[in-house]
């Protein structure tokens, strides 16, 4: 209904939209302000000031508010276009990345130019986006009540909410769980759909503050964690958004406890039941990873192997060093293939995990553009609720609830 209003009566709906955005911004500034004052968080205080300013602007100067929203949305489209173009360059200008990049960049430029002349143009673009979301929701209502082929078709056309919203959504969920626990309210952290054995686990990492809000995504089998990311800090480029593709394996439960207790990153764990054929495919997929990678040592491990003094105080700023020191993780670097270069907003941990698991026939949606682990949290939650999917268990792990941690040696 909102999408249709944006398309059919953009001028009238725009005024109500801007007013609603202003009210929501004012309301949003209050928890930011309270958290900033309560926990002395400078980032929350800054967010409070920005949301307060945006709210006042949208309410008392609606034309300026409309212009700002148009600018924000055009910048969002330009950012997605830039992500596609960077990934296209890394993939030797593959048309599957180049053409969407050009399209998103062109849409962002057009919106940036024409929204000043006619604010209704912004509402038309937003209306089209809302109708696409409505189509997806209606499609899922039908497809998830029908056989697997229909659900598969639905998932291939998955379109997440805006990346920022999806990226931080798991942090709100884990924050709610922790809040309930601190108030001594019962919180279920071990849900099971049926009696089948979960022989593959997918892990969504999150946090409640700072860079950890964006999260991470890994998977494990036989208690071995498989993770991909940019762990070679000195070789990073473009402010850490691009770097060599590094892969590591580690004991899954030791790693999970380290994430929760030391790195302050709670985890959502989803257990999947794979068929024998899929398990054989997993072994082939894992062998393929090792064929395309070579051993890589983090600086702290290299110093230790050379007999030089290596303390966590000296090397601890680099995550790979902390991980090796506390968990014994074994790193490998990609030397060829599409994962040779890691890109935060392209070939990142989420797309790596989804692409590798799709080699087993799981049919997880692999999006392009700005992708976050929170998008896959949304997907896995949907699949857990689907009675016929292979996602059969759901757990979470946080240091605030010791019973949710694993019993492993110190």
């Amino acid at each position: 209904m909102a999408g249709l209003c944006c398309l059919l009566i953009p001028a009238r709906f725009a005024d109500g939209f801007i007013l609603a955005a202003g009210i929501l911004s004012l309301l949003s500034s209050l928890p930011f302000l309270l958290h900033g004052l309560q926990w002395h968080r400078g980032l929350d205080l800054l967010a409070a000031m920005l949301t307060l300013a945006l709210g006042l602007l949208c309410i008392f100067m609606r034309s300026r508010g409309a212009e700002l929203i148009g600018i924000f949305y055009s910048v969002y489209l330009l950012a997605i276009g830039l992500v596609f173009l960077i990934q296209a360059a890394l993939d030797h200008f593959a048309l599957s990345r180049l053409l969407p990049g050009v399209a998103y960049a062109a849409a962002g430029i057009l919106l940036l130019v024409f929204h000043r002349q006619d604010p209704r143009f912004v509402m038309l673009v937003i209306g089209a986006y809302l109708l696409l979301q409505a189509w997806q929701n209606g499609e899922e209502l039908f497809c998830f009540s029908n056989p697997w082929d229909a659900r598969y078709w639905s998932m291939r056309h998955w379109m997440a909410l805006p990346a920022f919203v999806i990226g931080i959504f798991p942090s709100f969920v884990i924050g709610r769980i922790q809040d309930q626990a601190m108030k001594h309210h019962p919180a279920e952290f071990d849900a099971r759909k049926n009696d089948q054995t979960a022989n593959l686990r997918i892990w969504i990492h999150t946090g409640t503050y700072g860079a950890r809000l964006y999260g991470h995504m890994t998977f494990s089998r036989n208690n071995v964690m498989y993770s991909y990311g940019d762990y070679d800090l000195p070789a990073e480029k473009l402010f850490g958004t691009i770097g060599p593709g590094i892969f590591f394996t580690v004991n899954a439960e030791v790693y999970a406890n380290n994430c929760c207790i030391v790195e302050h990153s709670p985890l959502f764990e989803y257990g999947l039941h794979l068929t024998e054929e899929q398990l054989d495919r997993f072994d082939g997929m894992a062998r393929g990873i090792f064929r395309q990678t070579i051993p890589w040592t983090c600086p702290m491990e290299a110093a230790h192997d050379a007999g030089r003094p290596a303390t966590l105080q000296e090397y601890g700023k680099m995550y790979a060093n902390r991980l090796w020191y506390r968990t014994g993780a074994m790193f490998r670097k990609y030397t060829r293939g599409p994962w040779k270069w890691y890109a935060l907003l392209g070939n990142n941990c989420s797309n790596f995990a989804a692409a590798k698991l799709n080699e087993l026939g799981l049919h997880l949606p692999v999006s392009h553009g700005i992708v976050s682990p929170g998008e896959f949290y949304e997907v896995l939650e949907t699949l857990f609720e689907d009675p016929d999917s292979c996602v059969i268990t759901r757990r979470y792990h946080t240091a605030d609830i010791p019973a949710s941690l694993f019993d492993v040696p110190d």
Side-chain angles (χ1 to χ4, degrees), residues 345-365:
L345 302 179
N347 275 357
N348 60 14
C349 61
S350 303
N351 272 340
F352 174 84
K356 291 302 174 185
L357 295 177
N358 281 343
E359 294 182 22
L360 317 182
L362 292 182
H363 308 309
L364 293 174

Side-chain angles (χ1 to χ4, degrees), residues 25 51 80 111 146 195 198 214 240 249 256 278 346 378 388 407:
S25 294
T51 51
I80 296 178
L111 184 58
N146 283 272
D195 295 329
Y214 190 79
T249 54
Q278 288 174 322
E378 182 187 14
D388 297 322
D407 185 16

Side-chain angles (χ1 to χ4, degrees), residues 2 125-126 130 151-152 174 254 263-264 274 291 314 337 357 360 363:
V125 175
I126 292 176
L130 291 175
R151 294 199 302 277
Y152 166 72
I174 199 68
V254 170
E263 300 296 337
H264 308 292
L274 302 185
R291 283 195 299 268
E314 179 182 359
L357 295 177
L360 317 182
H363 308 309

Side-chain angles (χ1 to χ4, degrees), residues 125-344:
V125 175
I126 292 176
Y129 177 79
L130 291 175
L131 286 181
L132 286 173
Q133 287 283 354
W135 170 77
Q136 175 180 285
N137 291 332
E139 173 194 319
E140 289 165 14
L141 288 174
F142 171 78
C143 289
F144 276 81
S145 62
N146 283 272
W148 169 250
D149 288 344
R151 294 199 302 277
Y152 166 72
W153 182 82
S154 173
M155 297 303 289
R156 301 317 299 165
H157 295 79
W158 188 277
M159 179 182 61
L161 292 169
F164 177 75
V165 176
I166 287 296
I168 65 173
F169 184 66
S171 70
F172 289 112
V173 177
I174 199 68
R176 175 67 176 170
I177 291 171
Q178 292 173 349
D179 183 61
Q180 292 292 98
M182 285 187 285
K183 293 178 180 177
H184 305 291
H185 293 165
E188 182 186 30
F189 60 88
D190 192 356
R192 175 174 288 273
K193 194 164 66 179
N194 56 45
D195 295 329
Q196 291 180 310
T197 302
N199 45 27
L200 176 76
R201 294 187 284 183
I202 299 178
W203 309 74
I204 304 296
H205 306 48
T206 186
T208 56
Y209 185 67
R212 295 181 183 86
L213 288 172
Y214 190 79
H216 185 55
M217 181 175 174
T218 58
F219 59 92
S220 67
R221 167 155 167 71
N222 292 332
N223 205 28
V224 176
M225 187 73 77
Y226 297 80
S227 179
Y228 172 82
D230 177 18
Y231 303 108
D232 189 356
L233 190 62
E236 289 180 348
K237 304 179 185 299
L238 291 178
F239 308 102
T241 59
I242 297 177
I246 306 293
F247 167 82
F248 72 78
T249 54
V250 65
N251 180 287
E253 294 180 354
V254 170
Y255 172 80
N257 279 7
N258 181 71
C259 285
C260 293
I261 299 170
V262 182
E263 300 296 337
H264 308 292
S265 293
L267 305 172
F268 289 92
E269 172 201 332
Y270 296 88
L272 286 71
H273 175 75
L274 302 185
T275 64
E276 290 299 323
E277 180 184 357
Q278 288 174 322
L279 293 177
D280 291 339
R281 290 182 185 178
F282 184 96
D283 294 336
M285 177 270 293
R287 288 192 295 268
I289 293 175
F290 281 84
R291 283 195 299 268
Q292 294 184 340
T293 56
I294 59 174
W296 178 80
T297 55
C298 63
M300 189 175 186
E301 183 183 3
H304 179 270
D305 293 344
R308 299 194 303 271
T311 64
L312 201 60
Q313 182 178 4
E314 179 182 359
Y315 288 91
K317 289 184 178 180
M318 185 172 172
Y319 175 64
N321 293 329
R322 301 196 305 271
L323 189 64
W324 172 81
Y325 178 79
R326 293 193 174 109
T327 69
M330 294 186 294
F331 297 92
R332 299 181 69 86
K333 177 184 287 189
Y334 268 90
T335 59
R336 62 184 186 276
W339 307 104
K340 181 178 179 180
W341 285 98
Y342 168 91
L344 176 64

Side-chain angles (χ1 to χ4, degrees), residues 11-34:
R12 292 185 179 181
F13 199 72
D15 191 62
F17 182 87
I18 300 303
L19 182 60
I23 294 173
L24 287 174
S25 294
L26 288 179
L27 294 175
S28 298
S29 67
L30 295 177
F32 279 126
L33 181 62
L34 292 176

